[in-house]
Structure formats: C-alpha cells, structure tokens
Amino acid sequence: MIKLRVPKYLLLILSLAIYNNAAFAVEPNKSYEQCYLNKINNSKIGYTCVYRKVKQENQKNLIYTSRYSEQEFKRFGFTVKITQDLLYVEDESGNPVSFSAKIDSIGEKMNFSGEFTSPDTISVKSLINGVEKTEEIKLDKKILFPYGIENLYAVNSDSPVITYSTLEPSSDLRVTTITAEKMGKESLTEANLNDEYSKYKVKVDFLPNIDNYEWRTEKGKIVKDVSSILNIEEVAVSKDKIFDKSDGLDIFAQSLIPVDANFAGVSGLEQV
C-alpha cells in the first residue's frame, strides 16, 4: 500500500485561510454562518463552512466558532482527501477558553482537545494515529482565536499594521504569529461579493517567503484569501454553491516549473 503524506505547510495554509473570524469598540457578528469555495489555480478543490453561535454556561456567554472543511485533489495521480472539523470557544472579551480538532488526511488521523487552565497554560489531550498523549503547554505569547481575531481587525480597522498570535491544530499546535499590513480598500465583484473591502498583505512568521492577501469587512469578517503557495484561494459564496464536484486537480503537476528548452541526454546532466 502506498502511503501519501500531505505537506504540513499545505494543511496550515488551508487552515489559516479562514482563520478570521478584545470589550470592543465595534461589535462583531456573534452568530452567523458563512461558506467558502477552496481553489488552487482557479480549480475547485473543496469548501469550508464557518458557524458561530453564543451559548450560556455558568451564567457566562461563550462564543463557539466551528469550522468544517473538505478538500479533495490528486497528488501523483492518487486522490487525496483532507477533512478538518475545528471548534474554538472564547468568552465575550475574546479570551480563549478551549478548542477541539479532528483532522483526517491520507496517512494521518489527528484528534486534539485543549483547555486554557490559565492565560498562558493549556492542558492538551491528543490522539494521533492511535497514539494517545496528555501534556501541558506553556505559552510565551497571548493567543487569539477566531472571534478575538475578528474583533482585533474591527477595532483596528484604521491601523496600518495588525499583529497577533494564534494556535494552529493542523501544525502540531504551533504558536503562529501573523502580521497583516493594510493595503487600502478594494472593490470585489465575484462569487457572493459585490462591495468594497479592506485588503491586507499577510505574513506568517515561519513561512516568511509566502505572500498571502486577505479582504475583510469593516467588522473584521474575512471574505476572500489568496496565497502564493499554488495560488490557493478561498472566497465567500452562498451555501448552495459548495456542493459542486471538485475538479480533480493534481497539485504535483501544478507545482512543476516549466522549462522552455529541450534537453538531450538527460541522464548525463549534472546538478549545479
């Protein structure tokens, strides 16, 4: 049996693309549903849906943001399917409370659950390919989850640069620092979009050479995201648009660099 592994960076970019979504000057959407088409080089590979609701627990309002995604494409001719089912819980001030994640791709099944026992400590249980583990993770940076991140953009809509850190389950619970530089306003007229949005150039700390751009509403809600890795794109659409069949894109073929020359005697070539 051939075992294919999906590159970690691809899982990370697919996850962070809709990682949008602390009392606050601009009140964000506490309850909503939004779906997105996922594309690589304009070929559909899947969809993502984000759901948010408010629950009262122990006389406190908690914000639940769930994010479910399915992507399907080919790699070396084999079909690869990735599903992610993520849940983030925050209080009304945007402080993280807990999270859970189920991630399934070829060769890997990962389940995580984590609870903030203090602002800088998380108690984490994991089950990765049948191996259970419990650990305590100490954080050296303040962490924001989707509701808090959305608020950050809403409150700082006029700021030239926005920086924050988050925790990404699909990247071994790595603490990721993101810097967004505001590029100005831009009109979008595609899919479900027909308005002017704030455009940001986004950098991820441990992927410094990857360019990402995102467009957000005045309340910080993301409507479009593109990455220079394989031209990955996510764009907001109505829910009835997400169920079309994927295009069967082979990401290996898309990553090849074309050469405008013919080589004779390939076996005799040397590496420079």
Side-chain angles (χ1 to χ4, degrees), residues 166-216:
T166 190
L167 192 71
E168 178 44 52
S170 71
S171 187
D172 299 326
L173 299 177
R174 179 195 294 266
V175 174
T176 303
T177 298
I178 295 172
T179 302
E181 178 186 355
K182 190 168 184 178
M183 310 295 291
K185 296 279 191 176
E186 185 171 301
S187 295
L188 297 179
T189 54
E190 58 181 293
N192 213 37
L193 308 177
N194 187 19
D195 206 344
E196 190 175 67
Y197 305 94
S198 294
K199 180 181 180 180
Y200 293 89
K201 183 176 182 179
V202 180
K203 287 289 187 181
V204 180
D205 59 350
F206 65 94
L207 295 172
N209 298 319
I210 304 302
D211 289 329
N212 305 284
Y213 294 90
E214 61 187 25
W215 290 257
R216 292 179 180 262

Side-chain angles (χ1 to χ4, degrees), residues 99-101 103 110-114 124-128 169 173:
F99 70 90
S100 64
I103 302 167
M110 299 183 288
N111 287 268
F112 296 96
S113 62
V124 178
K125 294 181 180 179
S126 62
L127 177 62
I128 302 177
L173 299 177

Side-chain angles (χ1 to χ4, degrees), residues 73-205:
F73 47 84
K74 293 185 183 296
R75 190 165 183 247
F76 302 105
F78 291 88
T79 297
V80 176
K81 185 174 182 178
I82 304 172
T83 62
Q84 296 188 41
D85 192 358
L86 312 179
L87 175 66
Y88 304 93
V89 183
E90 303 159 76
D91 65 22
E92 286 191 297
S93 294
N95 298 308
V97 174
S98 63
F99 70 90
S100 64
K102 295 180 181 179
I103 302 167
D104 191 352
S105 63
I106 288 185
E108 284 193 320
K109 289 183 181 292
M110 299 183 288
N111 287 268
F112 296 96
S113 62
E115 181 178 352
F116 281 75
T117 56
S118 72
D120 65 349
T121 306
I122 313 174
S123 176
V124 178
K125 294 181 180 179
S126 62
L127 177 62
I128 302 177
N129 298 329
V131 179
E132 293 187 52
K133 183 179 180 181
T134 300
E135 60 183 320
E136 190 173 84
I137 298 177
K138 296 291 288 186
L139 304 170
D140 59 1
K141 296 178 181 179
K142 177 179 173 58
I143 297 299
L144 292 180
F145 279 166
Y147 177 69
I149 294 170
E150 184 178 301
N151 275 287
L152 184 68
Y153 276 89
V155 172
N156 297 280
S157 59
D158 294 327
S159 298
V161 177
I162 296 174
T163 301
Y164 61 93
S165 295
T166 190
L167 192 71
E168 178 44 52
S170 71
S171 187
D172 299 326
L173 299 177
R174 179 195 294 266
V175 174
T176 303
T177 298
I178 295 172
T179 302
E181 178 186 355
K182 190 168 184 178
M183 310 295 291
K185 296 279 191 176
E186 185 171 301
S187 295
L188 297 179
T189 54
E190 58 181 293
N192 213 37
L193 308 177
N194 187 19
D195 206 344
E196 190 175 67
Y197 305 94
S198 294
K199 180 181 180 180
Y200 293 89
K201 183 176 182 179
V202 180
K203 287 289 187 181
V204 180
D205 59 350

